[in-house]
Amino acid sequence: MAAPKLSDRIFSSLNKRSVAAHPWHDLEIGRGAPDIFNVVVEITKGSKVKYELDKKTGMIKVDRVLYSSVVYPHNYGFIPRTLCEDGDPMDVLVLMQEPVIPGAFLRAKPIGLMPMIDQGEKDDKIIAVCADDPEFRHISSLSELSPHRLAEIRRFFEDYKKNENKEVAVNDFLPTESAKEAIQVSMDLYAEYIMHNLRR
C-alpha cells in the first residue's frame, strides 16, 4: 500500500483517520502565529542525543549521539506547518525552566533569530521562550537575556559538530521582528507547497 500523500496527512483529521497523526502536518501552528505558536519538542534540554523528526512516519527518531562533549542548552524542536529552504520545518530553541520529553508540544513566543549556516546551507534558528512558563513568558526580546546565555547558545551551535568535521557558522543574533518575519515566510512557503500538491 502506497504511503499517503502529504495533503492526505494534513486533512486526515477532517475525515475518518486513515493514518496516524503527523506532528508536522496534523498539528496546527496556532491561531496566534507568528506571535504565539506551537512547537514540537525533538530534543530535551540537557540531552546529548540528537533526536529528529522522521518526515515519512512522523515519529521522533534517534539521529545520533553528539560527537562533542556538549549537551543541548535548551529544549529544541520545530514549528508545525512551516517549511524552510532546506526542506525541513522551522527550527526553534525554547528557553524555559524544565526539560520537556521528545514528542510533546508546547506554546512558544519568539524573542529573536539566530542566523546560521550549516555546511554551506542556510539553517536559521528561532530563539523563543515558553509562553506558559511564569519565569520566562514575560521576556520579549534577546536584550532581556544575559550576555552569557546568548554566548552559551552561540558556542553550542558553533561547536556541536566540530568533531564530525562539519562546518557551522553562527552570525549575529537578530531581533524579535526578524524572527516573526522568518516564521511568517516559513508559514507561507508551507502553504504554497500544500496548494501545489493539491493541484497535482
Side-chain angles (χ1 to χ4, degrees):
M1 183 177 177
K5 292 180 180 178
L6 179 63
S7 56
D8 293 335
R9 285 204 209 89
I10 292 167
F11 298 115
S12 61
S13 59
L14 300 178
N15 304 305
K16 288 185 177 179
R17 186 173 297 280
S18 58
V19 292
H22 195 296
W24 185 11
H25 307 301
D26 288 319
L27 179 63
E28 292 185 358
I29 189 172
R31 293 182 180 180
D35 299 308
I36 301 287
F37 49 85
N38 287 326
V39 174
V40 177
V41 174
E42 294 172 289
I43 305 169
T44 302
K45 171 184 177 180
S47 177
K48 193 176 176 180
V49 179
K50 171 69 167 71
Y51 300 96
E52 67 179 25
L53 174 72
D54 180 71
K55 288 186 276 189
K56 182 178 180 181
T57 65
M59 297 183 72
I60 303 295
K61 69 175 183 179
V62 174
D63 179 61
R64 66 186 184 280
V65 175
L66 297 182
Y67 284 51
S68 300
S69 185
V70 293
V71 297
Y72 276 78
H74 300 283
N75 294 305
Y76 180 87
F78 65 88
I79 305 176
R81 300 191 184 186
T82 60
L83 182 64
C84 297
E85 295 172 18
D86 61 0
D88 292 335
M90 176 67 78
D91 295 324
V92 190
L93 193 69
V94 183
L95 282 63
M96 58 189 298
Q97 296 180 69
E98 297 294 326
V100 175
I101 61 171
F105 73 94
L106 53 83
R107 295 192 318 138
K109 178 175 76 170
I111 61 170
L113 178 70
M114 185 180 73
M116 195 172 106
I117 304 296
D118 188 347
Q119 301 174 77
E121 291 189 358
K122 184 178 178 181
D123 193 18
D124 296 348
K125 315 293 184 189
I126 300 296
I127 308 298
V129 294
C130 177
D132 299 298
D133 186 326
E135 187 174 325
F136 284 88
R137 65 186 178 195
H138 68 281
I139 297 173
S140 298
S141 72
L142 294 174
S143 63
E144 297 175 63
L145 301 179
S146 70
H148 176 76
R149 190 180 293 272
L150 291 175
E152 181 182 57
I153 292 169
R154 174 192 288 272
R155 178 59 68 184
F156 169 77
F157 284 101
E158 287 175 338
D159 289 351
Y160 81 129
K161 289 188 176 180
K162 278 193 174 178
N163 283 350
E164 298 175 68
N165 296 315
K166 293 178 180 178
E167 185 86 17
V168 175
V170 178
N171 297 318
D172 291 340
F173 290 92
L174 298 176
T176 307
E177 284 309 311
S178 296
K180 291 180 181 180
E181 288 170 10
I183 295 166
Q184 187 62 58
V185 168
S186 70
M187 291 166 63
D188 294 342
L189 191 58
Y190 182 86
E192 287 175 21
Y193 182 72
I194 296 306
M195 293 307 297
H196 174 75
N197 274 272
L198 288 175
R199 291 193 205 103
R200 292 174 67 178

